[in-house]
Amino acid sequence: MKTEFTFSSFALRNVKRKPLRTVILIIAIALLVSALVFSLSFVRRVSSSIRLASERLGADILVVPAGSRGFAEDVLLENKAKSFYMDKGIINKLKAIQGIDSLTYQTYLTTMQGKCCDVPETVVVAFNQDTDFIIKPWLTEKFGRKLQKGEALVGNESAFNIRVGLVEVDSVLFGNIFKMVGILDKTGTGLDNALFIDDGNLEDIMRKGKTDLKPGQVSIVFVRVKKGLDPYKIAGEIEDSFVEVDTMARKDIGKSIITTLRDINYIFIFTMSLICFLSGFLTWAIFSAIANERAREVGIMRAVGAKESHIISVFLLEVIIVGSIGSSIGILCGTSLSILLAKTFSIMKNLPLHFSIAERIIIACIGFLIGNAVCIAGALSPIQKIKKMEPLMAIKKE
Amino acid sequence: MAQIEVRELTKIYAVGDQNITAVDSVSLAIDKGEFVSVVGHSGSGKTTLLSIIGGIMKPTSGQVLFEGQDICTFDDDRLSEYRNEKIGFMFQFSSLLPMLTARENVMLPGLFRKTKGAGDPGTATELLNMVGIGDKCDTYPSQLSGGQQRRVAIARALMYDPRVILADEPTGDLDEETENDIMQLFRRLNREKQITFIFITHNRELAGMAQRTLRMTRGNLREA
């Protein structure tokens, strides 16, 4: 026996009265929220990856061969296999610049499966263990010694690719056999997909002739400036002094991508605004029709004692029920889309950062709130109109 | 002191460029427990007068004093409470909500009370029994006949022991037998519970059952 009914059950019954209309509204809100969650995930993932990468590099300035800024970003942010070189002599020249605290360098080699190596295409980073401050923080505690010749470390993501989760596995790199002896902690940068060797191995690698690296070349120099000094000023000084190099301050890493991303962001915002407007308009149209249809019922409710606030509550509950169902479906679709489509967008495919559950929940909450807000905004005007009608006028309205 | 006192009540409707005076300076006093009928031609202002007394319409000017308080000065919340607690309405048409069962329709005014929940289903069932449709408690309005719907509306009007019942042609469209049953019920409630009844009717016979009959003519009211 159905005896107890409340505002919520009352609203729920109203929602069920015209299923087709309710479903149309739910689909509209679901599409809105789905697009919103997808675009938020996209923008946030790309921008967070870039920010994280620059924050975690541990250097204030990057020095690269002139014209190679983009290549360096490709390697560091997306692990795109790129090689670029400059004369190693730059290291001594840089030491002469005032304000530099410490520096280290790396040399990047690109593997090609089947030609030189038996690992999938990736970047091999040769680094100097004596001066290094980039890789060291990510060495797991278990690996408490220096890398020896013929030994390599594996980036956190690459570990899966070459199945070294099983620890010591031998791989051929540039004609030399390397023993994979450890896995780096997750850095959240492109380095997670790389392999790491001591730069003492480079001589043997060049001897085999399976790389275009020449003796006395390095790819990148990482510079730390003395505390309190402006990295931009020192970067400018380096560029003025040495025409053969370009510099990037840490905060500028990924700047070109961020600029492109900002444009994409604007397009997203514009598209989302349009979708919000359309969804709001649809909600307004549907609730205007509902308000007209139910004018007499509202009049009757008012006649038996419903206050204006009661009428608002009933209608708002209906809006929130529809908005919540639509938003929840939208969140599911949007999240699934962002996971599935991430594999088809090259910019996202190589991004190291994956969302944590908390971040996904935040994006879902934003989607849920906006979905409901659009619904409420659209329905507000018809609700205001109907609650203001004199009960008798509402009752007489056919 | 009269339970209901109407002073110089006027209601003017603006219809296009024209102003139509539905109620014209009407004054009236009704005591507690009176059984009053209002007669008059269509468009004479009967429904408007009843609606203003019931607080579902604002007058253009004048006062409606209920137990000494002018309801025309009430804000929306207070006026709603007045309708909810003091008045029981019966309209000349079906006034049930289609998605609620007969019992839920009877309990509806309770949904808008300060107390949580929609009231006591047991009382609603008793009232439906009293109006003769106790077997239709869980039936939806679309499955009820016109007469049964009226009976549900009567039960709803009685649900929270109102002081006054305002009925606008409560037996219109009903067969003679049902009409008689309903009027007998009104009389009984009036006698037993001292509920004041003001009902509009076109039926002289029904009007004659009242202690007092008022006649509306072109917005003016006089004792018949």
Side-chain angles (χ1 to χ4, degrees):
Chain A
M1 187 172 70
K2 286 181 277 180
T3 49
E4 186 67 25
F5 72 105
T6 58
F7 277 115
S8 339
S9 65
F10 189 64
L12 195 61
R13 284 190 214 184
N14 280 330
V15 167
K16 288 180 186 166
R17 280 165 82 172
K18 300 247 171 158
L20 181 67
R21 192 164 58 186
T22 304
V23 166
I24 288 171
L25 197 51
I26 286 175
I27 289 172
I29 299 300
L31 285 174
L32 160 74
V33 174
S34 177
L36 189 74
V37 167
F38 173 71
S39 48
L40 271 177
S41 305
F42 178 89
V43 171
R44 171 126 183 89
R45 192 172 163 213
V46 175
S47 56
S48 298
S49 290
I50 292 167
R51 201 185 58 245
L52 203 72
S54 71
E55 278 170 5
R56 286 183 174 181
L57 269 180
D60 299 311
I61 302 167
L62 278 66
V63 181
V64 295
S68 300
R69 281 194 188 109
F71 293 155
E73 284 181 342
D74 285 348
V75 173
L76 295 170
L77 298 175
E78 301 180 50
N79 186 45
K80 279 188 181 165
K82 295 275 169 67
S83 44
F84 46 93
Y85 305 113
M86 60 186 168
D87 194 90
K88 202 175 179 176
I90 190 71
I91 296 165
N92 285 329
K93 290 181 191 172
L94 287 171
K95 282 177 182 166
I97 299 278
Q98 290 288 314
I100 291 182
D101 182 52
S102 55
L103 48 81
T104 186
Y105 58 92
Q106 292 178 354
T107 309
Y108 299 146
L109 307 166
T110 306
T111 64
M112 291 176 84
Q113 196 171 15
K115 283 194 171 177
C116 67
C117 316
D118 64 357
V119 295
E121 187 177 283
T122 190
V123 173
V124 174
V125 178
F127 66 105
N128 183 300
Q129 294 189 80
D130 297 327
T131 58
D132 173 68
F133 51 82
I134 303 294
I135 309 298
K136 211 174 276 170
W138 305 104
L139 286 172
T140 51
E141 279 180 28
K142 279 183 280 179
F143 196 75
R145 62 174 174 84
K146 279 193 169 185
L147 273 180
Q148 303 298 315
K149 257 193 173 182
E151 289 183 338
L153 293 170
V154 186
N156 203 277
E157 298 284 326
S158 278
F160 174 77
N161 284 340
I162 53 174
R163 299 183 295 279
V164 290
L166 305 167
V167 193
E168 301 196 2
V169 169
D170 292 347
S171 286
V172 177
L173 297 174
F174 309 101
N176 295 277
I177 295 173
F178 277 85
K179 189 177 271 185
M180 306 295 159
V181 290
I183 302 164
L184 246 64
D185 279 344
K186 197 171 174 61
T187 65
T189 69
L191 298 179
D192 283 338
N193 293 294
L195 298 173
F196 300 85
I197 58 171
D198 181 74
D199 71 345
N201 292 290
L202 290 176
E203 218 171 288
D204 292 343
I205 287 174
M206 283 184 287
R207 201 173 299 133
K208 296 274 180 181
K210 295 199 172 184
T211 170
D212 50 0
L213 176 72
K214 305 271 182 315
Q217 285 186 321
V218 292
S219 297
I220 192 163
V221 181
F222 295 95
V223 176
R224 270 181 178 163
V225 301
K226 284 182 178 153
K227 218 175 174 184
L229 293 181
D230 180 9
Y232 282 101
K233 204 173 164 190
I234 292 172
E237 205 177 316
I238 293 170
E239 284 202 11
D240 290 347
S241 309
F242 315 111
V243 288
E244 68 270 33
V245 297
D246 281 342
T247 60
M248 281 190 289
R250 180 161 64 179
K251 284 178 184 168
D252 288 342
I253 295 170
K255 208 172 182 180
S256 58
I257 299 177
I258 285 172
T259 309
T260 312
L261 196 67
R262 198 175 294 139
D263 292 341
I264 295 173
N265 218 0
Y266 289 142
I267 295 168
F268 275 144
I269 290 169
F270 180 70
T271 315
M272 288 320 303
S273 306
L274 273 182
I275 300 176
C276 281
F277 176 76
L278 281 176
S279 305
F281 181 73
L282 187 68
T283 312
W284 172 82
I286 287 179
F287 270 86
S288 292
I290 289 172
N292 270 328
E293 279 168 23
R294 292 213 222 126
R296 180 188 259 196
E297 288 171 28
V298 169
I300 290 162
M301 290 198 289
R302 298 276 283 137
V304 299
K307 297 174 183 173
E308 285 182 4
S309 57
H310 292 135
I311 302 299
I312 294 177
S313 302
V314 170
F315 275 88
L316 271 187
L317 276 169
E318 288 179 36
V319 175
I320 289 168
I321 290 170
V322 171
S324 300
I325 296 172
S327 299
S328 304
I329 295 171
I331 288 165
L332 278 177
C333 295
T335 307
S336 311
L337 267 182
S338 72
I339 292 166
L340 292 173
L341 290 185
K343 290 171 186 163
T344 62
F345 284 105
S346 67
I347 191 173
M348 293 181 85
K349 198 162 48 180
N350 298 314
L351 286 179
L353 183 75
H354 294 287
F355 284 131
S356 63
I357 301 281
E359 279 172 309
R360 288 232 176 261
I361 289 173
I362 291 169
I363 291 175
C365 287
I366 293 171
F368 190 83
L369 288 177
I370 292 182
N372 274 289
V374 166
C375 237
I376 290 169
L380 216 54
S381 146
I383 295 173
Q384 284 289 338
K385 204 170 142 191
I386 194 130
K387 72 143 196 190
K388 284 281 171 205
M389 281 183 85
E390 255 189 333
L392 186 66
M393 290 296 112
I395 289 167
K396 282 185 170 174
K397 201 170 183 231
E398 289 293 341
Chain B
M1 183 177 67
Q3 186 180 40
I4 298 167
E5 195 178 346
V6 175
R7 292 181 185 162
E8 292 294 315
L9 197 73
T10 297
K11 177 68 186 180
I12 300 169
Y13 291 111
V15 182
D17 295 339
Q18 277 192 311
N19 281 336
I20 295 170
T21 306
V23 177
D24 190 3
S25 296
V26 166
S27 293
L28 164 75
I30 294 171
D31 290 328
K32 182 172 163 48
E34 271 199 272
F35 198 73
V36 181
S37 66
V38 183
V39 296
H41 293 295
S42 293
S44 59
K46 307 182 293 294
T47 300
T48 304
L49 176 66
L50 212 68
S51 301
I52 295 172
I53 292 173
I56 58 170
M57 174 175 263
K58 292 260 182 197
T60 308
S61 63
Q63 290 180 307
V64 176
L65 303 176
F66 183 87
E67 294 173 350
Q69 288 190 305
D70 185 3
I71 65 160
C72 303
T73 62
F74 289 179
D75 62 10
D76 178 72
D77 280 5
R78 213 163 152 209
L79 199 58
S80 301
E81 279 164 19
Y82 162 76
R83 291 192 294 261
N84 188 264
E85 290 163 11
K86 310 281 198 305
I87 305 293
F89 270 105
M90 285 190 59
F91 299 97
Q92 57 186 311
F93 47 81
S94 167
S95 60
L96 305 182
L97 299 194
M99 68 290 186
L100 301 182
T101 62
R103 182 179 10 239
E104 288 165 345
N105 264 291
V106 175
M107 289 157 65
L108 182 66
L111 194 62
F112 311 119
R113 297 210 144 195
K114 280 172 190 161
T115 47
K116 212 178 172 187
D120 175 24
T123 313
T125 309
E126 271 175 38
L127 284 166
L128 286 169
N129 274 325
M130 188 178 81
V131 295
I133 49 166
D135 57 332
K136 303 285 181 190
C137 286
D138 296 316
T139 309
Y140 286 91
S142 57
Q143 297 159 307
L144 296 172
S145 69
Q148 288 169 329
Q149 289 187 26
R150 290 290 168 93
R151 286 167 193 261
V152 177
I154 293 170
R156 185 180 64 194
L158 297 169
M159 179 69 183
Y160 292 100
D161 293 327
R163 314 265 181 89
V164 178
I165 289 203
L166 302 172
D168 190 354
E169 297 189 50
T171 59
D173 305 333
L174 296 185
D175 60 79
E176 209 172 315
E177 195 187 338
T178 313
E179 190 175 70
N180 257 324
D181 287 349
I182 288 175
M183 287 313 290
Q184 291 306 325
L185 178 67
F186 281 6
R187 288 292 299 166
R188 185 157 59 87
L189 289 167
N190 172 249
R191 270 197 314 271
E192 290 172 3
K193 296 194 169 185
Q194 281 293 291
I195 298 173
T196 307
F197 273 81
I198 308 174
F199 65 96
I200 293 171
T201 182
H202 287 287
N203 185 322
R204 283 169 184 244
E205 206 178 313
L206 293 185
M209 292 171 78
Q211 297 167 335
R212 183 179 168 196
T213 301
L214 304 169
R215 177 173 292 278
M216 280 291 276
T217 315
R218 289 182 201 156
N220 294 301
L221 187 77
R222 63 180 175 80
E223 299 281 340

